[in-house]
Amino acid sequence: VRVRPLTCTETRRGDRQVVRSLGDGTIHVSAARHDATFGFSAVFDAGASQEAVFEGSGMRQLVELALDGFSCTVFAFGQTGSGKTYTLMGPLAQSKTQPASPALLGLMQRSFACLLEQSRNRGSDLGLSASYLEIYNEQVRDLLSPGPPCTLPLRWSKTRGFYVENQLSVDFESLEAIASLLLQALNPTPPAGSQRRRTSAHALNTHSSRSHALLTVHVRSRAAGARASPPPTRVLQPSACPSKQGTLCFVDLAGSERVKETGSSGELSVEANNINRSLLALGHCISLLAKPRGKRTHIPYRDSKLTRLLARSLGGSGITLMVACISPSSRCLSETLSTLHYASRARRVTTRP
Ligand code: ADP
Ligand code: MG
């Protein structure tokens, strides 16, 4: 759980701080009629740096597991404005004109750097490709395809589970290239004429909080040359080394709060209802998955595109880190409590990697 600092606006209008970290992974919410303590694997309060979140959340281990061939996912969820995008990518607004300070880079950029560092340490060849999707109004759109985002069908097969048909996967020669495509923050010299980049950046900025965005980095690694500590019994020839294919998926969920705020008219209400529907479906799947295995009923992944795409991360063979983002403000109390309850349920879910 990450608590963001009070914003200037909140401070100016005199919002009270109702959330306090008590240390040891416990967090306390206190307000007139609510007084509750929750326990999590880790709690980061307003003073926690981006680095502290990367190191303390298990994100580094997740990167290492992706290199070992596991399917890893990190989710950020919480109400709009609670710090999801900040946690995943850092402060985006500044990066358009000037790159964000390295200290403020989020989990994504730190993971990319860590992937690179780890693969160097392991002396392995790294093949990287990325796909980038958003779910907007219950439609899956490819953010890497040139031109306006196109809608893709979501299918199911016995071997692959749920998958997106014709999804574009772009090979990258460096992790920096992925980072710059997504963030325009790391790379000062973007390749000329990259229509894709503009498209995805545009889509990212316009819809970031109205759509769920899923970035998947496919990591193929093959041991090349000598390892730091070769297996004691037999040393494989490089050509005989099996390659490992893991994934690292970053999910920036649409916020939950605007659903109420905008649930009034026309297009916005359609958007809001769709966000609402998919977040409800996600919450429902999480509640059911949190039950002991023996008592579980059917998990309704098919209720929304979001839950279909996340089926493996939620209850299958993936390894998943969920970061619940909350505001400390008294005005956000009910959303904060609902995020914390949601997170407590999510914590009980186990997968079988
Ligand atoms: P969300 O993606 O959940 O809608 P944002 O990440 O855009 O929320 O955060 C909302 C605002 O709060 C942004 O201006 C962001 O820079 C700021 N913010 C969020 N988390 C932090 C933090 N940990 N430290 C400083 N500012 C933060
Ligand atoms: Mg956001």
Side-chain angles (χ1 to χ4, degrees):
V1 168
R2 186 180 203 187
V3 191
R4 70 155 165 75
L6 281 173
T7 61
C8 297
T9 322
E10 289 170 340
T11 312
R12 232 180 290 124
R13 70 182 180 207
D15 288 12
R16 277 181 317 110
Q17 197 151 333
V18 294
V19 180
R20 214 156 37 92
S21 154
L22 302 176
D24 263 356
T26 52
I27 190 164
H28 185 71
V29 182
S30 61
R33 285 184 296 119
H34 301 275
D35 206 46
T37 305
F38 298 83
F40 296 100
S41 317
V43 171
F44 302 95
D45 60 21
S49 65
Q50 295 280 69
E51 187 188 4
V53 173
F54 180 79
E55 298 297 343
S57 62
M59 193 62 228
R60 182 180 286 280
Q61 289 90 315
L62 218 57
V63 171
E64 288 172 11
L65 287 163
L67 274 166
D68 286 333
F70 289 93
S71 307
C72 302
T73 307
V74 52
F75 265 96
F77 71 102
Q79 77 179 109
T80 302
S82 59
K84 298 182 295 293
T85 305
Y86 184 95
T87 297
L88 286 177
M89 305 192 218
L92 270 189
Q94 289 170 351
S95 66
K96 269 194 203 159
T97 46
Q98 64 189 89
S101 139
L104 298 182
L105 295 177
L107 290 180
M108 277 189 186
Q109 299 97 318
R110 285 171 200 275
S111 301
F112 298 158
C114 180
L115 259 182
L116 208 59
E117 178 197 306
Q118 285 292 323
S119 74
R120 273 199 210 109
N121 291 349
R122 296 175 183 212
S124 53
D125 265 345
L126 202 59
L128 296 162
S129 60
S131 52
Y132 194 23
L133 301 170
E134 71 169 355
I135 304 173
Y136 178 70
N137 276 343
E138 275 303 281
Q139 292 189 324
V140 180
R141 311 208 294 197
D142 195 330
L143 293 177
L144 293 184
S145 67
C150 56
T151 304
L152 297 176
L154 188 54
R155 307 223 186 273
W156 188 86
S157 85
K158 241 184 191 154
T159 47
R160 298 175 66 182
F162 292 106
Y163 68 98
V164 177
E165 196 171 63
N166 297 329
Q167 170 183 1
L168 209 68
S169 175
V170 178
D171 282 328
F172 285 95
E173 65 284 15
S174 72
L175 289 159
E176 283 80 2
I178 305 179
S180 74
L181 177 122
L182 294 165
L183 308 153
Q184 302 179 317
L186 282 187
N187 194 342
T189 52
S194 171
Q195 178 64 38
R196 277 183 192 135
R197 172 166 310 172
R198 273 197 298 277
T199 309
S200 64
H202 176 75
L204 183 73
N205 295 339
T206 326
H207 297 301
S208 62
S209 62
R210 314 299 296 146
S211 73
H212 309 295
L214 289 88
L215 167 74
T216 308
V217 180
H218 304 269
V219 186
R220 298 176 302 276
S221 64
R222 187 191 294 274
R227 284 177 144 239
S229 53
T233 46
R234 61 192 178 125
V235 180
L236 296 172
Q237 293 301 309
S239 60
C241 283
S243 71
K244 294 171 184 166
Q245 297 199 29
T247 54
L248 196 53
C249 180
F250 299 87
V251 185
D252 192 358
L253 291 178
S256 48
E257 181 204 51
R258 296 240 199 116
V259 172
K260 265 182 279 167
E261 268 178 24
T262 59
S264 48
S265 65
E267 192 186 332
L268 282 182
S269 123
V270 176
E271 266 184 4
N273 284 334
N274 280 320
I275 294 174
N276 200 5
R277 217 172 82 199
S278 56
L279 289 176
L280 269 177
L282 180 62
H284 191 204
C285 286
I286 287 176
S287 296
L288 292 174
L289 284 164
K291 292 184 178 171
R293 252 168 222 281
K295 293 190 180 160
R296 256 191 225 171
T297 48
H298 166 72
I299 312 290
Y301 293 118
R302 286 179 188 270
D303 281 2
S304 79
K305 298 258 161 78
L306 179 69
T307 42
R308 276 184 244 188
L309 278 181
L310 295 177
R312 179 153 67 164
S313 316
L314 290 173
S317 56
I319 302 170
T320 302
L321 165 67
M322 299 190 87
V323 185
C325 297
I326 55 177
S327 152
S329 159
S330 44
R331 294 219 188 179
C332 300
L333 184 64
S334 75
E335 288 286 350
T336 294
L337 284 169
S338 108
T339 301
L340 290 173
H341 285 298
Y342 201 97
S344 302
R345 278 195 299 274
R347 210 188 153 203
R348 294 203 300 270
V349 178
T350 51
T351 57
R352 293 179 167 174

